[in-house]
Amino acid sequence: MAKMVIVYTSQTGFTQQYALHIAREFHCEVIDSKFITEAELAAAKVVVYGGHLWGDTVGGFARFYRRYATVLPEYLLVFGTGVMAEAQVDAARVRARSFQACAQAPQFFYFRGRVDPKTLPVRLRVMFHLTRSADNPTAAPPQIEVVKPLLRAAHKLDDLGLLN
């Protein structure tokens, strides 16, 4: 039985990179949300879902939850990524908008990423240039230090014996 499965959706690649950082820590499977199966989710004790923040919602999470709610384990951790500074993200509003259908709201984490605009699809590249600010440097890979709050939460579940 899988202890943990990381499920993500990513357009620019930095959500995927954060998912890989988390998976390395727990030696678990990382699966694009397009390819996840009910059996993989049902076998997990913890599911970590990651998606880009679109306004005040975690991209793809509502659809993912509707589709798999009956097989998801009790422990669900969710992270959102974006280019805004953490202080600019209203986490309470993201929780309210993203998790309204959840029987039990998952823990939510925000990870700021940096984007190389050359790697973006044209529609996102235009949006990036329109919303870019001086405090948002462009090219740098996601750092492992950013995911430490989520890693601590998952380790607490493991310390309680919930991942055995």
Side-chain angles (χ1 to χ4, degrees):
M1 175 181 284
K3 287 183 176 186
M4 182 183 292
V5 174
I6 314 292
V7 180
Y8 72 93
T9 182
S10 183
Q11 290 188 20
T12 62
F14 68 80
T15 303
Q16 179 186 32
Q17 289 180 31
Y18 283 128
L20 291 170
H21 284 315
I22 297 162
R24 279 187 203 110
E25 177 80 12
F26 289 96
H27 306 285
C28 63
E29 202 168 1
V30 179
I31 305 171
D32 187 308
S33 63
K34 295 176 213 147
F35 305 111
I36 191 74
T37 66
E38 286 187 8
E40 289 165 318
L41 293 170
K45 293 195 175 190
V46 174
V47 171
V48 177
Y49 180 90
H52 187 79
L53 283 190
W54 293 103
D56 294 326
T57 61
V58 178
F61 180 77
R63 182 177 58 247
F64 169 78
Y65 189 82
R66 268 193 315 274
R67 183 169 182 187
Y68 298 112
T70 59
V71 296
L72 288 172
E74 180 181 352
Y75 302 102
L76 181 61
L77 305 173
V78 176
F79 69 92
T81 61
V83 294
M84 293 187 301
E86 191 169 351
Q88 295 175 299
V89 175
D90 185 347
R93 187 168 166 88
V94 171
R95 285 183 191 95
R97 300 231 9 206
S98 296
F99 309 142
Q100 60 191 1
C102 296
Q104 179 180 339
Q107 289 183 347
F108 172 71
F109 305 87
Y110 175 74
F111 306 144
R112 183 178 187 183
R114 296 179 180 175
V115 176
D116 180 355
K118 293 177 222 152
T119 65
L120 296 174
V122 173
R123 67 181 174 79
L124 294 177
R125 195 176 316 155
V126 170
M127 238 172 38
F128 175 82
H129 286 293
L130 291 174
T131 60
R132 186 173 70 184
S133 64
D135 76 329
N136 185 17
T138 54
Q143 301 295 318
I144 186 69
E145 292 78 31
V146 176
V147 300
K148 286 194 176 185
L150 189 148
L151 297 178
R152 281 193 294 274
H155 278 295
K156 281 183 184 177
L157 294 174
D158 198 19
D159 291 346
L160 294 171
L162 301 173
L163 300 184
N164 293 332

